[in-house]
Amino acid sequence: MRDAPTRRKQPHELRSHRWFGVDDLRSFGHRSRLLQMGLSEEDFRGRPVIGIINTWSELSPCHIHFRTRAEEVKRGVLQAGGFPVELPAHPVTEQYMKPSSMLYRNLLAMETEELARSQPCDGLVLLGGCDKTPPALVMGAISAGLPFAFVPAGPMLRGAWRGNTLGSGSDVWKYHAELRAGNITPAQWKDMEGGIARSFGTCMTAGTAATMMLAVEALGFTLPGASSIPAADAAHPRMATATGRRIVEMVWEDLTPARLLTQGSIDNAVAAAMAFGGSTNAIPHLIAMARRAGLVLDLERFDAIARRVPLIADLRPNGDTFLMEDFHYAGGSRAFLGRIAPFLDLAARTITGSTLGDDIAGAEVFDDRVIRPLDNPLQPESGMAMLRGSLAPNGAVIKTAAADPALLVHTGPAVVFENYADLKKRLDDPALDVTAASVLVLKQGGPRGAPGFPEWGMLPLPKKLLEKGVRDMVRISDARMSGTSYGTCVLHVAPESAVGGPLALVRDGDLISLDVPNRRLDLLVDDAEMERRRAAWQPAPPRYARGWTKLYIDNVTQADEGCDVRFLEGTEATPEPDIY
Ligand code: FES
């Protein structure tokens, strides 16, 4: 039900009024510079200024349609009587940024907040989708505190190659393993490059982008059903224009994030990510978003929701067949949220001015094979589990949905790689002492160690085991893994090895016990030996002495805390800029 209308703002109450509406020396300059661009006073005076924060870049294939989507948002803003201004922002593109796009999530969050705060914005439309951009934009916009709406980039079309359907990421890992095992030729592998990504838009598996766009919808920050619309579908620009219309009304209604976000909306986002079988990356992202809003989200809360919610989206990499296009045609995100309604706080409010319950009322599922009924899920529990134990005192994560069930209870000897370079150098060495029962361990993959918490967590398997037909092993690291990845990979071990967590002390041959049903991850080395190792441990010398990377390393929190930079957490208001 829509709230009883609260008092609408008057034009003189707009934030932008301080720039354009008063008559003083500074506003003379502000207005004259808009006139310089060919605008008239009628274009802006008394109208909500809508900042369209656009992560378009020629190095962001997932966002390459945002140049035109921004125009479509502007059309909606103008229709509703607003004044749209496009504000380019860091694209944080997943494919090209090294060492890790995650290193830059917080930079985009800070940029979003400051773009909004330093300029005469009354409301924001955020254009994002590629993995780190939804959390970054939303984190920044929550901290900025202005009404905002999110336009998700939407998934690209399904991949096609020689009669096969290809899924982003998942089929890259799969066919690369087959290439290394000698089951496909280098020419076939090369030919696949032209078939795996056939249109603009984000990865179309149940990876991080799809998970986070869905989570932002479940949080209440998109129009209903927006997050699953394929980027190339004509419904996508219509959604962008409708969002432009809606944000103007949100400004008049003063529908700020503080008035929308509750513990219930955060839990809704977690439940949606879990029932979707989404990316493990959702965990640090949602924790960081919750902390920006001053709300509670820790690994225990994640695990409690994960145990309660069944996995009902049958999408790769959890299932074998379907992709995001199939998900949308089966009813899409709105129908999916409708199906998991028993696990949602339906009173949570959304940017529509109504409740999530109203937004999803009457949504229909058209294909039960893709969005499964609650009584016939893909898995009875969601696809993730949070672990603790002597190897991960502050937690670790495993995506059980994408793991070999036979390995979820396993004890084996460690084969340790001190860092990623060491892994690349020695993994395929025929002399490596490794069997299918070994546990591969990678250090220096965490937020500070790598730095930037890269997606190294799906450690490749040794070539000699691949050739014997081995396709999964227990792997443990303090890194993340792509949402499109799969395997029995324990991730996000905290504290990370770079700060002296127990992972730093693991040696070749140590027995490691993984017990997912009991949520345990233990290093079976006695306390006295661990003390000896701890006393001898030395951190790696710092490699970054300047710039954003130094600021990040000095301030980033651990995986279980969301990996935000400490000085951006919390709800303490930053003063409005003085205009003089
Ligand atoms: Fe952009 Fe996967 S690379 S969503």
Side-chain angles (χ1 to χ4, degrees), residues 24-150:
D24 62 9
L25 174 64
R26 286 294 161 202
S27 60
F28 171 89
H30 301 145
R31 285 189 296 268
S32 69
R33 289 303 181 144
L34 289 181
L35 300 181
Q36 177 187 10
M37 292 189 280
L39 293 159
S40 304
E41 199 146 330
E42 291 74 23
D43 289 317
F44 59 85
R45 193 151 186 168
R47 297 176 184 270
V49 177
I50 305 300
I52 300 167
I53 299 191
N54 191 354
T55 51
W56 177 89
S57 156
E58 283 175 341
L59 279 178
S60 185
C62 305
H63 294 179
I64 206 70
H65 53 314
F66 276 167
R67 191 170 251 182
T68 49
R69 289 297 175 275
E71 297 303 317
E72 286 138 5
V73 172
K74 287 177 199 173
R75 186 165 71 218
V77 171
L78 291 168
Q79 287 168 358
F83 174 44
V85 290
E86 190 173 343
L87 305 171
H90 197 311
V92 193
T93 171
E94 193 65 23
Q95 291 295 345
Y96 299 108
M97 297 196 69
K98 309 294 178 198
S100 159
S101 61
M102 185 65 171
L103 181 64
Y104 298 98
R105 183 199 68 180
N106 299 337
L107 186 62
L108 174 58
M110 190 159 64
E111 184 186 14
T112 301
E113 180 179 347
E114 300 305 331
L115 275 173
R117 178 174 297 119
S118 62
Q119 302 189 83
C121 298
D122 296 301
L124 305 172
V125 175
L126 313 174
L127 270 54
C130 191
D131 293 18
K132 309 304 174 293
T133 56
L137 291 164
V138 171
M139 287 160 67
I142 289 172
S143 295
L146 301 176
F148 75 87
F150 184 76

Side-chain angles (χ1 to χ4, degrees), residues 54-55 93 119 127 130 146 218 221 246 256 287 292 304 311 349 385 409 475 506-507 529 536 559:
N54 191 354
T55 51
T93 171
Q119 302 189 83
L127 270 54
C130 191
L146 301 176
F221 288 121
R246 179 63 198 140
T256 60
I287 290 174
R292 290 291 184 113
L311 198 177
R349 299 182 64 205
V409 178
R475 292 161 263 181
V506 182
R507 294 182 181 170
E529 172 62 16

Side-chain angles (χ1 to χ4, degrees), residues 409-494:
V409 178
H410 180 84
T411 299
V415 174
V416 178
F417 300 97
E418 292 299 326
N419 51 48
Y420 198 69
D422 183 34
L423 171 87
K424 283 182 78 175
K425 193 165 117 199
R426 293 194 298 118
L427 183 73
D428 288 340
D429 184 342
L432 186 70
D433 186 11
V434 65
T435 71
S438 301
V439 175
L440 302 181
V441 173
L442 174 67
K443 302 179 185 177
Q444 294 292 118
R448 289 175 65 174
F453 208 14
E455 293 183 337
W456 294 340
M458 189 178 90
L459 278 62
L461 303 187
K463 192 163 182 235
K464 68 180 183 184
L465 296 182
L466 281 171
E467 287 167 351
K468 287 183 188 160
V470 177
R471 289 293 181 272
D472 198 4
M473 293 172 70
V474 176
R475 292 161 263 181
I476 298 174
S477 74
D478 44 11
R480 295 177 301 115
M481 93 176 173
S482 164
T484 61
S485 298
Y486 52 86
T488 311
C489 303
V490 177
L491 312 159
H492 308 187
V493 169

